Amino acid sequence: MTKTSLRRTARSLPIALLRARETVMGPVRDMLVSSGVNEQKWRVLRVLDEGGPLDQSLLAERACLQLPSLTRILRAMEDQGMVTRATDPADRRRSIVTISDVGRQVIEDHAQESLAIFARLEAAYGRERMETLLDLLEELNRVTPDA
């Protein structure tokens, strides 16, 4: 029986992406501790602040969340007053989510620290390399591997 040669974990794309995610998200999680907002809620707030009111499915896609997880997260965010949900008058099956003033304040409270975190990361990694990395990751997201 021959052993399949898998790529070493040190050069495994999934593992490398997870390590990079932790490098980036660790300081963000630390930043958010003071407000009681986790990284998923932060992504929802950022997407809504940037994109305006959104249908839940589109919000889930843009915030990189599974729809059932988003539904649970939104319930908590509504209870905290960070978002509101309303039925879409054009399609009563859809729910439109909007950031509230409380949600905008959470972003405002962390904006300077967030900018500083990413400025330090960019300074250490290099602006040009950071832009290249982001371009490559966007390109990777458009690739559909054959099943």
Side-chain angles (χ1 to χ4, degrees):
M1 181 177 203
T2 55
K3 182 178 173 185
T4 305
S5 290
L6 294 174
R7 188 180 278 267
R8 292 185 48 78
T9 56
R11 296 296 291 170
S12 162
L13 180 60
I15 291 174
L17 289 170
L18 288 168
R19 282 192 305 262
R21 180 181 194 277
E22 289 311 305
T23 297
V24 172
M25 289 309 299
V28 172
R29 281 189 213 103
D30 293 344
M31 171 189 78
L32 295 172
V33 166
S34 66
S35 63
V37 172
N38 62 26
E39 65 184 270
Q40 294 85 5
K41 290 177 183 178
W42 178 250
R43 289 197 314 258
V44 169
L45 291 173
R46 295 271 291 120
V47 167
L48 289 172
D49 188 54
E50 184 178 291
L54 291 172
D55 144 275
Q56 276 189 223
S57 296
L58 188 55
L59 176 57
E61 179 184 320
R62 290 186 184 174
C64 300
L65 292 164
Q66 296 294 316
L67 192 53
S69 295
L70 176 66
T71 301
R72 181 180 39 77
I73 290 165
L74 288 177
R75 226 175 282 124
M77 292 179 79
E78 275 185 298
D79 291 346
Q80 293 172 300
M82 291 188 274
V83 299
T84 59
R85 281 192 284 186
T87 302
D88 183 348
D91 182 349
R92 305 211 36 86
R93 295 168 296 177
R94 290 179 32 179
S95 181
I96 304 299
V97 184
T98 305
I99 190 171
S100 70
D101 290 340
V102 171
R104 278 195 186 83
Q105 188 61 53
V106 170
I107 291 174
E108 185 61 32
D109 290 347
H110 295 293
Q112 290 306 310
E113 191 175 354
S114 179
L115 288 169
I117 288 168
F118 289 101
R120 287 191 303 271
L121 186 59
E122 188 175 79
Y125 192 63
R127 177 177 291 236
E128 189 174 314
R129 289 176 68 205
M130 183 66 74
E131 289 302 318
T132 299
L133 176 61
L134 290 169
D135 291 343
L136 289 170
L137 289 170
E138 282 182 30
E139 196 175 310
L140 181 62
N141 284 329
R142 291 190 293 271
V143 172
T144 4
D146 293 335

